Amino acid sequence: MMFELLLGHLVGDYLLQNEWMAQNKAKKTWIGWLAATIHCIIYTFAVCLIMWEWKPIWIVAIFFSHFFIDKFAFGYWYLKHIKGLDTYSYKMVGLSELRAGFNAVIYTVTDNTMHLLLMWGAYKIIF
């Protein structure tokens, strides 16, 4: 189960998400809402297909857990407010490319961990 969950996440979040979705999904405009919705529909389909789980409650749980984290940039919020790391600061204060790369890795790991934890929790509750 966990391997399929991880594989579905990787396919939906990396292989099937295009640059337009990634660049726009957290924007507070109608384009942001559209990009987030399209991305989460595709993501949900990928996870459900690879896990071969089609219960309506599972579909809703995958869609909304992913939507919440991506649309509202929860990974950035967590890093800034809980961990004290401002992942945008390198652009504003001119820190090195190494620092920018470090921030990107930290954000990616945090974001993926949040997605996987929520899906794992939903799976445990639903199944």
Side-chain angles (χ1 to χ4, degrees), residues 15-108:
L15 297 183
L16 299 178
Q17 179 175 205
N18 64 28
E19 184 179 358
W20 176 80
M21 292 177 213
Q23 295 285 330
N24 290 294
K25 64 188 176 185
K27 290 184 178 176
K28 294 175 174 38
T29 63
W30 72 270
I31 291 291
W33 287 91
L34 180 64
T37 301
I38 292 169
H39 167 58
C40 290
I41 289 169
I42 293 168
Y43 176 88
T44 300
F45 180 76
V47 170
C48 291
L49 181 65
I50 289 174
M51 292 192 69
W52 206 250
E53 290 290 351
W54 299 101
K55 288 185 180 181
I57 189 70
W58 176 243
I59 294 168
V60 168
I62 295 303
F63 178 88
F64 283 107
S65 68
H66 199 80
F67 189 88
F68 171 77
I69 292 170
D70 279 11
K71 177 67 189 137
F72 302 108
F74 190 64
Y76 286 116
W77 181 91
Y78 175 84
L79 288 172
K80 185 174 183 178
H81 297 287
I82 305 300
K83 301 295 285 181
L85 175 64
D86 187 354
T87 56
Y88 286 118
S89 66
Y90 70 90
K91 294 176 185 174
M92 294 181 275
V93 297
L95 295 176
S96 72
E97 290 178 359
L98 180 61
R99 180 70 176 171
F102 171 78
N103 285 347
V105 169
I106 293 299
Y107 169 74
T108 301

Side-chain angles (χ1 to χ4, degrees), residues 1 5 51 53 58 118-127:
M1 176 278 295
L5 197 66
M51 292 192 69
E53 290 290 351
W58 176 243
L118 279 179
M119 286 194 299
W120 175 79
Y123 187 89
K124 288 296 200 181
I125 290 168
I126 293 168
F127 299 101

